[in-house]
Amino acid sequence: MLASVMAPLWACILVAAGILATDTHHPRDSALYHLSKQLLQNYHKEVRPVYNWTKATTVYLDLFVHAILDVDAENQILKTSVWYREVWNDEFLSWNSSLFDEIREISLPLSAIWAPDIIINEFMDVERSLDLPYVYVNSSGTIENSKPIQVVSACSLETYAFPFDVQNCSLTFKSILHTVEDVDLAFLRSPEDIKRDKKVFLNDSEWELLSVSSTYSILQSSAGGFAQIQFNVVMRRHPLVYVVSLLIPSIFLMLVDLGSFYMPPNCQARIVFKTSVLVGYTVFRVNMSNQVPRSVGSTPLIGKSASSASWHGFLVSSLSLQSIVLVKFLHPWLTQGVFLHHAESSFYGEHLAQPGTLKEIWSQLQCISNYLQTQDQTDQQEAEWLVLLSRFDRLLFRSYLFMLGLYTITLCSLWALWGG
Ligand SMILES: *[C@@H]1O[C@H](CO)[C@@H](O)[C@H](O)[C@H]1NC(C)=O
Ligand SMILES: *[C@@H]1O[C@H](CO)[C@@H](O)[C@H](O)[C@H]1NC(C)=O
Ligand SMILES: *[C@@H]1O[C@H](CO)[C@@H](O)[C@H](O)[C@H]1NC(C)=O
Ligand SMILES: *[C@@H]1O[C@H](CO)[C@@H](O)[C@H](O)[C@H]1NC(C)=O
Ligand SMILES: *[C@@H]1O[C@H](CO)[C@@H](O)[C@H](O)[C@H]1NC(C)=O
């Protein structure tokens, strides 16, 4: 029983031993193994890799903007995806390639070597980057570390010109601890090349990348001078979708409202018309509020003029004016009707009661003359009101036109600025 179980087990062990014995390849035999062992054996990653401590380690930076993921004006946050590359020289990691099978480049674990502590000044959230485990080292000790990073950075976003806005956000790279005497920064490519490079940028998003200008500077502080490199990412919005969904309806509503001024001011249909515009506009505004970016510092012009104070004020004031006038006009008709009814009833009533009395006829005639006089007065009042109303209406119309003109001019100049 036991033997029958053990027999296949022994066979397996023998076969495994055979494989091990016949296999002559071992990592220890590879030149790469020798080299990395040689390089890392006496390496101390705590020490900045220079033989003469007075020499600064220069880190060369490069940046490719890959995508603009989110522009959050309300929280003043920009989310971008960038490809970041840093290159520096490690004097402790160089070798004579002819001694190591002509190996010129080798990848080493990043965790095993010294690396500069470079951060982005504006970062607001944990940078999400793939923790790439290896870096490339060549035989003269030049180390290249590149990685994609998702940067969540603070940026002062201006929304006034929305949807024709151009944003300018900076990403500033600097060593968090080392002064310029220890860690210096430099450009890997020329700033001109960086500025114009849009090769990897994803074009299909809402934003278009205009340029990435970069400047080197030394920030003086009490702890010493810090080298920093600032990349200014300048981008502009593709406005078409907002022009179609916001601008055109808002202008249309304004024009419709403007057209309502051509109805006579004492026309009852006008108040109905204005009410419809107001309702339509309110619905539009509710829909719009989701699409227009809001920031504490500045309100978008389109939001400002199409939604708040001025236009709303105009609509409401012209509407309330209409209602006042309508009530004023309805009022005489009402009183007129009641009066007439009263006059008729009293006339017939008294006529039936005491026919033929001359005094009675006289009083009735006086009554009618009184009534006609009152109506004359009402007519006069009505005319006065109408004059006042049309004057006010004209004033409202002119200021409305003025506002609309101002709005159009501002929008056009914003558009021109956006294009230029
Ligand atoms: C380090 O470099 C400085 C100037 O580059 C030089 O004056 C100094 O002698 C060097 N020190 C050593 C130990 O080589
Ligand atoms: C590299 O090693 C070869 C062979 O030993 C030698 O001839 C050469 O001078 C060495 N080169 C350097 C830069 O030390
Ligand atoms: C290592 O890379 C640096 C930078 O790319 C280059 O200047 C240097 O010549 C390379 N060294 C060798 C031995 O290829
Ligand atoms: C972006 O802002 C920086 C300063 O923050 C400025 O130096 C640069 O000229 C601006 N770029 C554009 C295109 O406005
Ligand atoms: C985006 O457009 C630019 C030119 O406008 C082009 O050079 C670049 O390759 C495009 N990017 C992608 C990812 O297609």
Side-chain angles (χ1 to χ4, degrees), residues 198-199 201 203:
K198 295 170 202 165
K199 270 201 294 291
F201 186 72
N203 289 324

Side-chain angles (χ1 to χ4, degrees), residues 295-353:
S295 71
V296 181
S298 61
T299 323
L301 173 76
I302 149 166
K304 210 182 260 171
S305 61
S307 79
S308 56
S310 55
W311 202 40
H312 206 174
F314 264 122
L315 266 172
V316 168
S317 63
S318 63
L319 191 62
S320 52
L321 184 75
Q322 304 300 310
S323 0
I324 287 172
V325 167
L326 216 67
V327 166
K328 196 71 199 166
F329 277 122
L330 278 175
H331 187 64
W333 299 335
L334 283 175
T335 48
Q336 185 179 322
V338 167
F339 190 83
L340 201 65
H341 183 71
H342 178 71
E344 271 172 18
S345 66
S346 65
F347 181 83
Y348 286 118
E350 290 187 17
H351 176 74
L352 284 173

Side-chain angles (χ1 to χ4, degrees), residues 87 89 95 97 104-105 137-144 188:
V87 171
N89 192 66
W95 67 92
S97 61
R104 299 199 177 278
E105 276 185 319
V137 187
N138 76 8
S139 58
S140 43
T142 301
I143 299 181
E144 181 178 328
L188 194 58

Side-chain angles (χ1 to χ4, degrees), residues 359-375:
K359 198 176 169 192
E360 204 41 54
I361 292 170
W362 173 243
S363 87
Q364 292 300 337
L365 279 177
Q366 218 168 13
C367 195
I368 289 169
S369 120
N370 265 354
Y371 164 67
L372 288 177
Q373 228 171 347
T374 326
Q375 198 164 25

Side-chain angles (χ1 to χ4, degrees), residues 24-90:
T24 52
H25 297 293
H26 189 272
R28 247 172 300 183
D29 298 329
S30 91
L32 280 175
Y33 175 85
H34 279 294
L35 178 56
S36 53
K37 186 133 199 239
Q38 171 97 22
L39 288 174
L40 295 179
Q41 209 162 31
N42 295 312
Y43 191 86
H44 289 282
K45 65 173 191 169
E46 308 82 22
V47 184
R48 190 164 60 85
V50 284
Y51 285 111
N52 184 342
W53 67 270
T54 58
K55 188 180 170 200
T57 301
T58 302
V59 182
Y60 297 86
L61 301 187
D62 198 2
L63 184 85
F64 297 88
V65 178
H66 176 231
I68 288 158
L69 303 176
D70 191 20
V71 178
D72 181 354
E74 195 169 350
N75 300 312
Q76 301 277 297
I77 282 175
L78 173 76
K79 203 192 265 184
T80 39
S81 159
V82 300
W83 290 354
Y84 171 68
R85 200 147 67 108
E86 54 189 18
V87 171
W88 69 95
N89 192 66
D90 192 321

Side-chain angles (χ1 to χ4, degrees), residues 93-223:
L93 289 181
S94 57
W95 67 92
N96 182 342
S97 61
S98 41
L99 295 181
F100 290 94
D101 206 10
E102 298 301 327
I103 297 173
R104 299 199 177 278
E105 276 185 319
I106 185 177
S107 59
L108 290 177
L110 179 60
S111 56
I113 62 168
W114 182 90
D117 53 347
I118 288 173
I119 57 143
I120 299 173
N121 257 2
E122 291 88 356
F123 83 104
M124 292 285 287
D125 202 351
V126 193
E127 289 161 18
R128 257 176 279 172
S129 64
L130 297 171
D131 264 330
L132 297 179
Y134 294 105
V135 292
Y136 242 142
V137 187
N138 76 8
S139 58
S140 43
T142 301
I143 299 181
E144 181 178 328
N145 180 22
S146 50
K147 56 186 175 186
I149 346 176
Q150 187 175 315
V151 189
V152 178
S153 61
C155 176
S156 149
L157 296 162
E158 270 290 332
T159 56
Y160 180 76
F162 173 86
F164 303 111
D165 46 344
V166 176
Q167 306 291 357
N168 181 356
C169 293
S170 54
L171 299 174
T172 312
F173 292 83
K174 72 184 259 277
S175 164
I176 191 157
L177 178 77
H178 294 99
T179 57
V180 66
E181 285 88 35
D182 288 334
V183 171
D184 199 1
L185 299 178
F187 293 108
L188 194 58
R189 293 182 292 163
S190 77
E192 265 310 303
D193 284 350
I194 298 173
K195 187 167 186 168
R196 280 179 284 119
D197 187 10
K198 295 170 202 165
K199 270 201 294 291
V200 299
F201 186 72
L202 289 179
N203 289 324
D204 311 333
S205 79
E206 187 183 334
W207 295 87
E208 178 190 353
L209 186 68
L210 289 181
S211 70
V212 184
S213 57
S214 43
T215 47
Y216 170 88
S217 59
I218 290 176
L219 183 76
Q220 291 297 344
S221 77
S222 57

